[in-house]
């Protein structure tokens, strides 16, 4: 097991504060988020939200030869076959582009919607990924102190996600340092950490879009007053 040696990207994350045992609640919607790097595995993180508290209850990380969007959806159906309380889909916006892995007219999100259509899913995907440095600062703040009622909680069963939060390094420009490794099973060189946390970044910044926007503004509300009475502006 690697050890933390300083320079981690998710500085606000602490095992004691941000992890626990969280069980699936059939009465709450499921929020699933994807990262489409296929090596060392294809990633889907599974969350539930209660108020402004978000809980990662599961992760699906399938390695070769099952590292495909369809296989991940099949595993999700197996695990949550009786879920009736709604499904929201998030993920890397690049998954909305036509992919050489798929037939023309299809992309990863089209495949997901088709594979999970029985859950009547709602797609929540931004046009572009949120800026890495800003989203990292936001998520670190939430891990460390919460933010306007927001809390992020990672299930202790989500081992690869926790490893991401513990060991992913920060690059010199403040982004994520994607260290390479050779996958022993496949011989493919790929990024060791960053897949689960990338998937989670997309979910967190989209599901809590108003909080993320507020953070980007420096924590202020957009109250614009016109005329003489300007004393109640919030900065």
């Amino acid at each position: 097991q690697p050890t933390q040696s300083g320079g981690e990207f998710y500085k606000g994350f602490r095992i004691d504060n941000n992890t626990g045992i969280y069980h699936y609640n059939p009465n709450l919607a499921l929020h699933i988020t994807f990262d489409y790097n296929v090596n060392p595995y294809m990633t889907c993180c599974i969350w539930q939200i209660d108020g402004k508290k978000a809980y990662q209850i599961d992760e699906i990380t399938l390695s070769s030869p099952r590292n495909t969007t369809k296989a991940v959806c099949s595993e999700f159906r197996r695990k949550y076959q009786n879920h009736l309380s709604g499904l929201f889909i998030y993920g890397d916006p690049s998954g909305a582009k036509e992919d050489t892995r798929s037939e023309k007219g299809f992309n990863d999100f089209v495949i997901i919607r088709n594979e999970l259509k029985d859950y009547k899913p709602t797609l929540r995907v931004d046009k572009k990924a949120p800026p890495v440095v800003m989203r990292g600062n936001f998520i670190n703040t939430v891990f460390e102190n919460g933010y306007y009622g927001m809390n992020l909680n990672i299930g202790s069963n989500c081992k690869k996600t926790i490893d991401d939060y513990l060991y992913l390094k920060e690059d010199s420009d403040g982004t994520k340092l994607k260290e390479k490794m050779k996958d022993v099973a496949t011989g493919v060189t790929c990024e060791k950490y960053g897949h689960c946390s990338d998937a989670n970044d997309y979910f967190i910044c989209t599901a809590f879009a108003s909080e993320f926007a507020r953070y980007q503004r420096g924590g202020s509300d957009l109250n614009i007053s016109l005329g003489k009475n300007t004393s109640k502006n919030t900065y």
Side-chain angles (χ1 to χ4, degrees):
Q1 186 79 338
T3 56
Q4 285 184 286
S5 55
E8 283 77 28
F9 184 82
Y10 292 100
K11 302 169 192 64
F13 179 80
R14 295 289 181 274
I15 289 278
D16 291 348
N17 296 339
N18 307 120
T19 67
I21 297 170
Y22 309 113
H23 298 291
Y24 161 63
N25 182 342
N27 299 313
L28 293 175
L30 286 170
H31 300 256
I32 64 174
T33 183
F34 292 81
D35 180 76
Y36 296 111
N37 286 294
V38 296
N39 292 299
Y41 43 76
M42 175 84 180
T43 303
C44 173
C45 296
I46 300 163
W47 290 75
Q48 293 193 291
I49 300 175
D50 189 0
K52 283 194 177 185
K53 299 186 188 305
Y55 302 89
Q56 185 179 343
I57 60 167
D58 203 355
E59 63 184 14
I60 296 172
T61 54
L62 300 185
S63 52
S64 182
R66 298 188 66 219
N67 53 341
T68 66
T69 305
K70 278 192 173 184
V72 168
C73 289
S74 176
E75 181 66 6
F76 174 82
R77 288 197 309 269
R78 184 187 72 78
K79 286 185 154 194
Y80 300 96
Q81 57 187 305
N82 298 316
H83 180 71
L84 299 171
S85 298
L87 178 66
F88 293 92
I89 298 166
Y90 309 77
D92 185 347
S94 70
K97 297 172 183 164
E98 285 188 20
D99 195 316
T100 53
R101 292 181 287 132
S102 310
E103 57 190 277
K104 187 164 177 58
F106 277 72
N107 61 47
D108 286 297
F109 289 113
V110 171
I111 293 167
I112 292 164
R113 289 181 80 166
N114 287 345
E115 292 293 312
L116 302 181
K117 62 181 183 296
D118 291 347
Y119 297 87
K120 299 182 171 52
T122 299
L123 206 59
R124 286 182 171 177
V125 182
D126 287 336
K127 289 186 170 60
K128 60 181 183 178
V132 177
V133 175
M134 182 63 78
R135 78 197 201 208
N137 289 340
F138 172 60
I139 291 166
N140 273 317
T141 297
V142 181
F143 274 140
E144 198 164 10
N145 303 309
Y147 189 76
Y148 287 91
M150 264 186 78
N151 281 117
L152 300 172
N153 307 277
I154 310 299
S156 52
N157 56 312
C158 302
K159 304 295 187 189
K160 288 189 172 70
T161 302
I162 290 171
D163 279 355
D164 258 21
Y165 288 132
L166 286 176
Y167 305 122
L168 180 69
K169 299 293 187 184
E170 183 177 64
D171 210 340
S172 55
D173 62 356
T175 62
K176 299 181 180 185
L177 179 63
K178 298 294 183 75
E179 296 174 276
K180 303 285 187 182
M181 68 166 201
K182 181 173 270 194
D183 190 306
V184 177
T186 63
V188 173
T189 299
C190 51
E191 294 167 356
K192 188 173 186 180
Y193 300 117
H195 308 291
C196 295
S197 61
D198 275 355
N200 284 348
D201 288 359
Y202 308 132
F203 158 69
I204 293 161
C205 294
T206 304
F208 296 97
S210 61
E211 287 78 14
F212 184 43
R214 172 184 252 175
Y215 183 85
Q216 289 175 292
R217 295 193 302 266
S220 64
D221 294 316
L222 282 182
N223 291 342
I224 301 170
S225 299
L226 300 175
K228 294 178 181 176
N229 186 15
T230 60
S231 60
K232 292 185 180 178
N233 277 358
T234 305
Y235 294 103

